[in-house]
Amino acid sequence: MQIIPVASGKGGVGKSLLSANLAIALGQAGKSVLIADLDLGASNLHLVLGQQSNAHGIGTFLSGNSSFEDIIIKTGYPNVRFIPGDSEIPGFAALKAVDKNNLIKQMLKANTDYLILDLGAGTHLGILDFFLLSPQGIVVTAPSVTATLNAYLFLKNVVFRMLYSAFKRNSAGFKYLEKLKSDSSSMQRMYIPRIVTELEKVDPKNTELFYSHLQMFKPRLIMNMLDDPKDADKALKIRRSCQEYLNINLEHLGVIYRDSIQDTALASRLPVIVYKPQAMVSQAIYRIADKILQSETDTFQDMTAYAEYADESFQSAELEAETDFRSKMGYIEDLLGTDALTMSDIAEMLKTQQYEISVLKKENTLLKRKIKIALEQGYRV
């Protein structure tokens, strides 16, 4: 079983959409897939999968009101099963360690080729621990400054979680980390290579253990919501920061362009690769699924081999971004060339969309005003 945790440092970057469609793509390839909604407190993966809200989920299992087998449901898509989350659980902050460990134990016993974990956004310890169930977790991000920064900060928190886990309480290394932690300004300036150098002096044995774990850590990146091929360069910034400050090397799984068809598919309660398999976003997801399928038998005996492979993955992602953009623009050019779409048509479409956006903004302002008045009058909204 290959475990694929899917996380993001920031919400709204398409993490659940990627998780759901990736599960279906792997299922269509003949692999058995179990996908779990671990965005506890804000569970919505069932909507992306087009499933009805289920009475049983992780919450009912943890409360003892159902068995683990009872909360696993068939999705209707080939080879794909689903574990619903529970909106009644207020996130990982309320999840006890014993419950978390029990949930992990049950999931690891599942008979499946792939276990996809759709995690919540953020850096709570529970999320980090689920992400570290595999050395090949996926981080989904977008080209915006906040999204790329949060992707890096998420990986930084994961590495520091690994660091603390390698040193037992009261060990010399743990005491050093606690002392470093108490000085927040020093902690911000210190990065993994420098910290490891200092730890080797005070606790060489446990430092070697941490470094061996770090060498096996091979996180993967997906850049979503691209508008331009140049947006793919943002992934290189994340990679350089990870190499320089965290001593880890990212693999680039691929890029996905922004496409309004995702919203149309979601409104139709269908995953986008089922709603329109030939859409550019669907083809990008199939391409990512193929890379995961091909990586099943890949083993990296040393860091040099993996570093070369990671280099190639970034070069490949840049080429994919250029190719997809040309296809996108080529489609518009084809329409123009066949007189199916004229420049005046495009101008009219833009004009209409601008008008619709203006109307929506006015309606939104009106609704906000009505809600404010209702709250002032004592109504519960």
Side-chain angles (χ1 to χ4, degrees), residues 23 55 73 92-93 108 168 232 292 318-319 323 354:
I73 62 175
F92 279 103
L108 293 182
K168 294 181 180 179
I292 291 174
E318 289 179 6
L319 181 61
T323 303
Q354 287 174 343

Side-chain angles (χ1 to χ4, degrees), residues 21-70:
N21 285 277
L22 180 60
I24 294 170
L26 292 172
Q28 290 174 350
K31 300 294 182 180
S32 60
V33 183
L34 179 61
I35 180 169
D37 188 349
L38 292 177
D39 190 357
L40 304 181
S43 302
N44 62 0
L45 188 60
H46 64 283
L47 297 175
V48 187
L49 282 167
Q51 304 297 301
Q52 295 295 326
S53 181
N54 200 45
H56 298 292
I58 290 173
T60 53
F61 163 68
L62 293 178
S63 62
N65 294 322
S66 64
S67 66
F68 187 73
E69 289 73 21
D70 287 339

Side-chain angles (χ1 to χ4, degrees), residues 185-199:
S185 59
S186 296
M187 194 69 165
Q188 288 176 352
R189 291 193 303 268
M190 292 286 278
Y191 297 103
I192 292 300
R194 287 181 61 188
I195 292 175
V196 169
T197 300
E198 295 300 319
L199 283 169

Side-chain angles (χ1 to χ4, degrees), residues 177-190:
L177 290 172
E178 285 295 291
K179 182 180 177 181
L180 194 65
K181 187 179 177 182
S182 63
D183 185 354
S184 59
S185 59
S186 296
M187 194 69 165
Q188 288 176 352
R189 291 193 303 268
M190 292 286 278

Side-chain angles (χ1 to χ4, degrees), residues 2-8 15 18 22 116-117 119 131 134-141 154-155 218-222 253 288 292:
Q2 185 177 140
I3 304 173
I4 307 177
V6 182
S8 64
K15 172 183 54 61
L18 183 279
L22 180 60
I116 297 178
L117 309 177
L119 305 178
F131 191 79
S134 167
Q136 294 178 297
I138 295 174
V139 177
V140 182
T141 188
F154 175 81
L155 288 166
K218 306 180 181 81
R220 299 179 282 191
L221 183 74
I222 292 176
L253 271 183
I288 290 167
I292 291 174

